[in-house]
Structures are given as C-alpha cells and as structure tokens.
Amino acid sequence: MRPAFSVILFTVLAGMGQGLFLMLVRADALGADPHELAVGGFASVALLGAGLACSFFHLGHPMRAWRAIAMWRTSWLSREVIVLPLTIAVVALWSLEHLLGKPHTAALAAAGVVLCLALWWCTGMIYACLRFLREWAHPLTLLNFALLGWMSGATLFAAYWSVLHGAAAARLWVVAAMVLTCAGAAARLASLARNRALRPKSTPQSAIGVAAARVRQISQGTTGGSFNTREFFHGRSAAFVANVKSIALVLAFALPLVLLAAAWVWPVPGLLPAAAAAQFVGLIAERWLFFAQANHPQNIYYQAVA
Amino acid sequence: MTQPAETLAKQLALVIDLNVCVGCHACVTSCKQWNTSGSAGPLADLNAYGAEPSGTFFNRVQTWEAGAYPAAETIHFPKSCLHCEDPPCVPVCPTGASYKRKEDGIVLVDYDRCIGCKYCAWACPYGARELDEARQVMTKCTLCVDRIYDEKLAPEDRKPACVKACPTNARLFGDVKDPESEVSKAIRERGGYALMPEWETRPANQYLPRLVRQAQEF
Ligand code: SF4
Ligand code: SF4
C-alpha cells in the first residue's frame, strides 16, 4: 500500500497521546501534583487533536467528515470516528478537573482509560479486519498499535517528569518506559517475522482464473497510471524499504532503550527528551513500513504496461 | 461484518466470455462515454494529451499470456466491479455511501455522501473501485443503473453500455438468480467461474473459460 502521511501522523500522534494519558492516570494514583497532571493532560489532548486534524487531510471531502459516524454497526472506521472525539473530550475534562483542583471522580479517569484502549482497538481493527491484506489481518496489528502508542506515551511522560523534577526522580517512569519499549519491540519484531514468512494466497492464476503453470500480464489496460497504480504501490525500491526498516528499529526501539538506560544510570538532563524525540521519529518510519509492507491482491492486476 | 450478506432474490450481473473477447476496448470507451455524461459522471481525465494520461474508468480491458511458447495463449480480460454477493467494500464504508441494492444486487456509491476516505477501495480485492481525482469521490461500475430501467429506451437498449458495444457478444447481462436467464444458462453449461475465489466475496459477475480447440486433421 502507499503510505499516506496524514494517516501515519494521525496514528503516531494520537497513539502517543493515548499512552501519555495512561501514564498520567497511573501517576495520579501515586499522588502526583494535580496541576502537573493537568498540563500533561492538555498535552495529551493536543496530541490527540493534532492527530485528528491530520486525519482530515486524508479525506477527499473533509467538510463531510461528520457523515462518517453513520455506519458504526459495521465499520471500524466509523467507530474510530466516534471514539476519537469522545476520548479527546474525556481527557480534556479530566485535565480541567485537575487544573481547577476540584475533587475529581475516579469514573472520569476510568472512562478515559477505557476510551484510550477502545481507540487503539478501533484503529487496529480498521487494518486487521481487511482479510486479504494478510500483513495486517492478525491480532498482532492490534497489539502493535496499542503497545507502540503506550510505549511512546510512557517515554514522553518520563521526559516530562524529568523536566519537572530532575532525571533522578523520574527513575520509576524510566523503568516503565523501558519495559513498554521492550514489549513493543518484541511485538513489532514478531509481526515483521510473520510478514517475512507470509506467502501470497492470490496468484495471477486465481486473479484471472486460468490454471496454466505460467500466467503473466502483458497489459493492464492503460498506458499511464490510474488510481490503482497510485494508491496501492509504495513505488520505492527494496533498498529504500530496508533502510526505513532499519531506521524504524533503531529510532523507535534501540536508541530510546539506550538513552533510557543511560538516564537511569546517569540522571543527566536531556537524555529522556532525546529518547522521546527519537521514538517519535522512529514510529513515523515504523508506520510507513506498516503500510508499505502490506501487499494488496489487486496489485496482481497492475503489473505491466504495453 | 463477519456474518454473510443475505442472499437476494435477484442479482444482476455480467458474464464475460473469454473465448470471444478480442481486446478491442469498445466496452471501455462506451462505458466511459455513457457514464461520463450520465448520473455517475463526469469521470475526470487528467493530463489526457500528455505523456502520462490518467483517468477514471469503470471498466478496463487487460491482456494476459498463459502458458509458454509455442503453446502460449493470449487472453483479453475485461475487468470491472463484480457486484459481489458478499461485498467486503460495503460494510467498511463509514458513511453508508457504498451500498448494495436489495432489489437487484447492484453495488453503488452515493456520491453526495462519500467523503473520499478510500477505505472501500482498500477493501476490494479486485481493484474495481477508482477514486475520481477531480471530484474526490469513489466511483465504480454501476451496471448502467441509469440505463437498464429507462423506459424511454427501446427494450433491447436497456442493457449496460458495454454489453451493447461489444462487437463479439463477449458480454452477457442478466439476473444470475433466475435459472432460465441467458447468464445462468451460460454459467451452468459453460463452466462459469469467479475471480479470486479464495476471498469468498461471491462475485456475481462470472467468466466463461476458454475452450482451446486442437487443430483438426482432415
Ligand atoms: S468487485 Fe470490489 S467493488 Fe465490486 S462489489 Fe466486489 S468487492 Fe465491492
Ligand atoms: S471512499 Fe466514500 S464510498 Fe468509499 S468507504 Fe469512504 S465514504 Fe464510503
């Protein structure tokens, strides 16, 4: 598939916002200062809101986006469109409550956590429910959206805490971010291994229904491109894809782990914000790879120009 | 989304005879002409006279080769929306713009409701949907729904434009749920088959396989 930058940014930004909120709720339970939590909460709202704004650029008719809430009974995209603004609203309310120092209810925090998890579920299912995009049609897709989002939010929270209270005070959160980054790396490596082992189910033979041993396309029916050649091919070389993969693995997992470990040992300012920034860039590359690696069966019909 | 779609009493469809398609593209141009001027249009052409022309088409004729020389066969292969009986493109649409008509099984897009999210195109294994780049809405074959029921046309003209245009009669049109229809008989008697059966979309359109005749000695 062709990776769309609007969707890449949306999923990375929103996922980070969701992960950040989960950490804020945990810090709240451990008795963190409400005002500091409120600032973190508004950062989460900003990330989710920026993600929402990016998603509009994916649409041919952004002004009609409201119509997308209609088919929640069948469409995971519709469900996501409902859950995302709800999540933003609840996280914003939670933050406001903390800002005003009002006695807050555990119910709001619980609702926020449930909505964050539901949003990952919806986003993951948008891809995982397309059964013939086999790189996506697997529970690992759901796990990855959740773990990678949570991991990036946790690293961001550790960075935030170190800025407020010094790196030494952030050690608990550094450990949390390291555990989540390891879990995210394991899940993503598992899906990469699975992708490598996949063999296509559709073949030129099944595409046109001719049983000959050798079936090849001579002409796709057009001399220039079409929507089908633009939307479903990433158009990059195998070497480019391999480079993106290396960048993703290093910046999303390896380098942040090194920086987190270093910050735990030497509480130097700057290490944790650097880890969060590296992870953000790494996840952009990771999401690009997620789209580029998905092979659509329609591509069999678009192989040759004559 | 996982439960199979209900089976309809009537399902209009095309049956394409690969024995006689000569790859002339008459169906492609007549489809474009009818639909760019009708209720489905206009269908944009980008850079029509440039080096890389690109446009919206509901129907494409491709050319394939099967087997190896000297026994290689050239197969002309028309491809359009198959109006699947279990269309994966419909339930994923968030707005309800994509739908399957209960009365005749045609899969359509309501252009006024489409937000251009392209999710339905991702959900079609066959690449049968094309986003119109000028209007930014999803388009696809309508089986000429604005033609086949038009009482102002002579009865023999109430067929999809492609069917009317085909000089070799490679395209048959009718109700595949009516066992006595021309299309049902062709499927039954001449081994009609579905494309990519592995995805269980139950395409309504079917293809008639080529009967390769051996050279006869007299
Ligand atoms: S061919 Fe594609 S667009 Fe047409 S009904 Fe089947 S899945 Fe939908
Ligand atoms: S592109 Fe249009 S028809 Fe297709 S899923 Fe999106 S809203 Fe529905």
Side-chain angles (χ1 to χ4, degrees), chain B residues 92-95 97-98 109 113-120 129 138:
Chain B
V92 300
C93 173
T95 64
S98 275
V109 181
R113 271 211 236 172
C114 174
I115 59 175
C117 68
K118 312 180 201 81
Y119 194 27
C120 54
R129 294 174 165 250
M138 197 51 72

Side-chain angles (χ1 to χ4, degrees), chain A residues 1 58-61 64 67-68 70-71 74-75 77-78 126-127 129-132 134 201-202 206-210 212 214-222 224-228 230-232 291 296-298 300-302, chain B residues 1 25 53-54 60-68 75 77 79 88 91-96 111-119 121-127 129-131 133 135-137 193 195-196 198-201:
Chain A
M1 303 291 292
H58 185 64
L59 303 181
H61 280 278
R64 297 181 188 169
R67 287 186 178 275
M71 302 307 278
T74 61
S75 169
L77 180 53
S78 184
I126 286 175
Y127 305 98
C129 79
L130 301 175
R131 60 186 183 273
F132 37 81
R134 295 172 65 224
K201 257 194 196 172
S202 292
S206 78
I208 67 165
V210 172
R214 189 172 154 279
V215 174
R216 71 175 184 108
Q217 188 173 57
I218 295 171
S219 162
Q220 58 179 249
T222 79
S226 60
F227 172 72
N228 308 73
R230 290 187 291 268
E231 182 72 5
F232 298 91
F291 286 99
H296 201 292
Q298 79 105 40
I300 297 171
Y301 294 108
Y302 295 89
Chain B
M1 173 177 302
H25 293 247
S54 172
R60 308 259 185 192
V61 174
Q62 308 191 323
T63 302
W64 292 70
E65 185 183 74
I75 300 166
F77 176 79
K79 170 173 148 334
V92 300
C93 173
T95 64
Y111 306 118
D112 294 329
R113 271 211 236 172
C114 174
I115 59 175
C117 68
K118 312 180 201 81
Y119 194 27
W122 294 13
C124 167
Y126 308 99
R129 294 174 165 250
E130 299 191 14
L131 186 88
E133 299 289 351
R135 287 184 295 156
Q136 287 296 312
V137 291
Y193 65 85
L195 305 181
M196 290 187 183
E198 60 271 24
W199 303 119
E200 297 173 343
T201 57

Side-chain angles (χ1 to χ4, degrees), chain A:
Chain A
M1 303 291 292
R2 180 178 58 83
F5 263 95
S6 50
V7 181
I8 292 175
L9 276 174
F10 160 53
T11 56
V12 172
L13 287 168
M16 199 178 226
Q18 288 156 263
L20 176 60
F21 182 71
L22 297 193
M23 302 315 284
L24 290 167
V25 170
R26 183 76 194 117
D28 195 10
L30 297 177
D33 172 63
H35 284 104
E36 292 174 5
L37 292 174
V39 173
F42 286 121
S44 168
V45 170
L47 286 167
L48 286 159
L52 177 65
C54 288
S55 71
F56 276 93
F57 287 93
H58 185 64
L59 303 181
H61 280 278
M63 295 306 284
R64 297 181 188 169
W66 60 272
R67 287 186 178 275
I69 60 173
M71 302 307 278
W72 56 273
R73 281 190 195 81
T74 61
S75 169
W76 284 104
L77 180 53
S78 184
R79 290 170 196 160
E80 184 190 57
V81 168
I82 293 168
V83 171
L84 176 57
L86 275 181
T87 310
I88 295 179
V90 168
V91 174
L93 266 182
W94 181 93
S95 312
L96 197 65
E97 238 185 17
H98 282 76
L99 185 71
L100 302 177
K102 293 250 171 68
H104 49 273
T105 59
L108 207 51
V113 170
V114 168
L115 281 167
C116 283
L117 297 177
L119 184 52
W120 277 322
W121 188 270
C122 292
T123 307
M125 280 307 288
I126 286 175
Y127 305 98
C129 79
L130 301 175
R131 60 186 183 273
F132 37 81
L133 277 161
R134 295 172 65 224
E135 291 82 358
W136 294 349
H138 194 269
L140 274 174
T141 300
L142 299 183
L143 190 65
N144 273 314
F145 271 101
L147 275 181
L148 301 187
W150 195 5
M151 150 192 116
S152 62
T155 308
L156 182 65
F157 182 75
Y160 175 53
W161 208 255
S162 76
V163 169
L164 288 176
H165 303 284
R171 277 207 171 120
L172 169 68
W173 306 111
V174 168
V175 172
M178 286 177 75
V179 169
L180 285 166
T181 300
C182 288
R188 192 60 175 106
L189 287 172
S191 80
L192 287 173
R194 179 179 171 272
N195 287 353
R196 246 195 322 277
L198 279 179
R199 294 290 166 264
K201 257 194 196 172
S202 292
T203 58
Q205 282 80 359
S206 78
I208 67 165
V210 172
R214 189 172 154 279
V215 174
R216 71 175 184 108
Q217 188 173 57
I218 295 171
S219 162
Q220 58 179 249
T222 79
T223 47
S226 60
F227 172 72
N228 308 73
T229 58
R230 290 187 291 268
E231 182 72 5
F232 298 91
F233 294 86
H234 55 73
R236 301 289 183 163
S237 65
F240 184 93
V241 177
N243 283 339
V244 173
K245 183 167 153 187
S246 308
I247 292 171
L249 293 178
V250 169
L251 290 187
F253 307 115
L255 183 62
L257 271 178
V258 170
L259 291 171
L260 285 162
W264 196 86
V265 181
W266 307 286
V268 183
L271 286 178
L272 291 175
Q279 209 157 49
F280 176 76
V281 178
L283 283 184
I284 302 250
E286 183 279 328
R287 221 40 52 94
W288 190 93
L289 188 69
F290 171 77
F291 286 99
Q293 280 200 332
N295 287 304
H296 201 292
Q298 79 105 40
N299 293 5
I300 297 171
Y301 294 108
Y302 295 89
Q303 293 296 326
V305 174

Side-chain angles (χ1 to χ4, degrees), chain B residues 147-148 150 153-161 163-165 173:
Chain B
R147 175 177 178 127
I148 56 179
D150 188 346
L153 293 175
E156 65 273 21
D157 285 335
R158 291 179 210 157
K159 289 179 175 174
V163 175
K164 287 288 295 178
F173 169 68

